[in-house]
């Protein structure tokens, strides 16, 4: 197996996160659109907002520690400490990187008039990073034959968390997209480390039809949500410019957030194709 795919994916993830930051945070248009999306979230149904707050509230230090314990236990049961170390390392490193970037490295210049929490930098999203790194850690440590079952349960949850951060107004779209890119980069570097030390082996067995159907389904969903976001933003911004309807901008941001998480997840999964 070639080592080339993992550093390429890691570089692409970091480059994507950097591009998102430049376009959304360092430009007046980017800040205006994202703040409009946050205001548009005020028009969402109360039940949707409550569901978002509930889902995000379940992500705590304790639940994250529990996830790390489960990931480690799977590795121990498989007698694969190397996989367990890499998987837990993805979760821990993901948080170290995003918290350092958000708190100490990345500024948010005041390019548009705004007050309160909107003025503070919130990129990258810690909650989105947690969801995506837990998913990637599970891909690393779960046996090949159970990977499809894991995806069935974990992928929808991880994807929803990114969208929920917008619904709850905890984060902007750029925060979730940058988190997707960083989580993907960290997970790719962990897989590269495993590959270089000879821990990854090719799988020569038959394909599992259920997993293929699942991947195809989520690929269609990713393409559809991305296209829908493009239509919502494209038509609204073309007609009204930066004064576009805030509800439409919010809906478009939500679909882009879901698409971003799905594309990151499917990219990582594709790199693990035929790897035991």
């Amino acid at each position: 197996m070639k080592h080339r795919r993992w550093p390429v994916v890691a570089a692409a993830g970091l480059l994507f996160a950097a591009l998102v930051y430049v376009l959304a945070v360092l430009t007046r248009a980017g800040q205006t659109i994202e703040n409009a999306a946050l205001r548009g979230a005020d028009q969402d149904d109360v039940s949707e907002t409550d569901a978002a707050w509930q889902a995000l509230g379940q992500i705590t230090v304790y639940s994250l520690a529990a996830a790390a314990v489960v990931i480690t236990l799977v590795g121990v049961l498989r007698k694969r400490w190397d996989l367990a170390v890499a998987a837990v390392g993805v979760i821990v490193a993901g948080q170290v990187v995003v918290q350092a970037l958000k708190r100490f490295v990345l500024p948010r210049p005041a390019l548009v008039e705004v007050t309160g929490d909107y003025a503070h930098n919130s990129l990258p999203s810690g909650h989105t990073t947690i969801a995506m790194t837990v998913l990637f850690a599970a891909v690393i440590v779960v046996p090949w034959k159970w990977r499809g079952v894991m995806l069935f349960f974990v992928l929808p949850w991880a994807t929803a968390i990114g969208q929920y951060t917008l619904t709850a107004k905890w984060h902007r779209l750029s925060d979730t997209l940058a988190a997707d890119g960083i989580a993907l980069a960290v997970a790719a570097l962990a897989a590269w480390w495993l590959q270089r030390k000879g821990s990854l082996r090719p799988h020569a067995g038959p394909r599992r039809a259920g997993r293929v159907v699942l991947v195809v389904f989520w690929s269609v969903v990713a393409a559809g949500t991305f296209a829908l976001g493009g239509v919502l933003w494209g038509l609204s911004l073309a007609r009204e410019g930066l004064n576009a309807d805030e509800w439409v901008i919010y809906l478009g941001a939500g679909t882009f957030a879901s698409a971003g998480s799905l594309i990151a997840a499917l990219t990582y999964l594709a790199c693990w194709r035929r790897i035991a």
Side-chain angles (χ1 to χ4, degrees):
M1 278 178 285
K2 296 181 179 180
H3 295 185
R4 199 175 306 163
R5 76 177 76 170
W6 301 115
V8 169
V9 170
L14 293 176
L15 181 61
F16 175 74
L19 183 62
V20 166
Y21 173 72
V22 169
L23 294 179
V25 180
L26 300 185
T27 67
R28 187 177 185 278
Q31 290 194 14
T32 300
I33 292 172
E34 290 207 296
N35 289 342
L38 287 179
R39 291 191 296 271
D42 290 330
Q43 304 177 43
D44 207 348
D45 189 87
V46 174
S47 61
E48 293 292 330
T49 303
D50 290 344
W53 275 80
Q54 183 177 1
L56 295 173
Q58 292 173 351
I59 299 179
T60 65
V61 173
Y62 302 106
S63 62
L64 183 58
V69 169
V70 171
I71 292 292
T72 303
L73 182 59
V74 173
V76 171
L77 292 176
R78 294 187 64 189
K79 299 180 180 180
R80 295 294 306 273
W81 282 99
D82 50 352
L83 299 184
V85 169
V88 174
V90 168
I91 298 174
V92 174
Q95 283 305 297
V96 171
V97 172
V98 299
Q99 296 302 331
L101 289 175
K102 179 164 56 179
R103 298 175 185 274
F104 306 113
V105 178
L106 300 179
R108 184 176 183 83
L111 303 181
V112 297
E113 185 176 350
V114 68
T115 59
D117 292 338
Y118 287 1
H120 302 302
N121 177 53
S122 54
L123 183 150
S125 165
H127 280 74
T128 302
T129 303
I130 288 174
M132 296 304 293
T133 53
V134 167
L135 171 62
F136 294 151
V139 171
I140 291 173
V141 81
V142 169
W144 184 88
K145 64 180 180 179
W146 292 105
R147 203 171 287 162
V149 176
M150 179 275 297
L151 288 172
F152 182 83
F153 291 101
V154 182
L155 181 55
W157 166 78
T159 301
I161 291 299
Q163 197 275 332
Y164 280 153
T165 61
L166 273 69
T167 301
K169 299 177 65 174
W170 287 21
H171 283 285
R172 303 170 177 87
L173 171 62
S174 61
D175 303 346
T176 68
L177 295 180
D180 290 332
I182 292 171
L184 178 61
V186 171
L189 290 175
W192 191 29
W193 173 71
L194 288 170
Q195 191 173 49
R196 289 179 65 86
K197 70 189 299 293
S199 296
L200 302 184
R201 298 184 295 272
H203 177 78
R207 294 181 179 179
R208 290 183 174 264
R211 186 184 308 171
V212 173
V213 171
L214 190 64
V215 170
V216 170
F217 170 77
W218 284 114
S219 298
V220 172
V221 172
T225 52
F226 183 82
L228 178 59
V231 170
L232 290 171
W233 276 24
L235 293 179
S236 184
L237 292 173
R239 288 197 305 258
E240 305 170 67
L242 295 182
N243 294 317
D245 185 89
E246 294 172 350
W247 172 247
V248 176
I249 295 299
Y250 162 69
L251 292 178
T255 57
F256 278 135
S258 297
S261 296
L262 283 173
I263 291 171
L266 292 170
T267 298
Y268 195 64
L269 187 63
C271 291
W272 279 83
R273 180 176 177 271
R274 311 300 291 176
I275 297 178

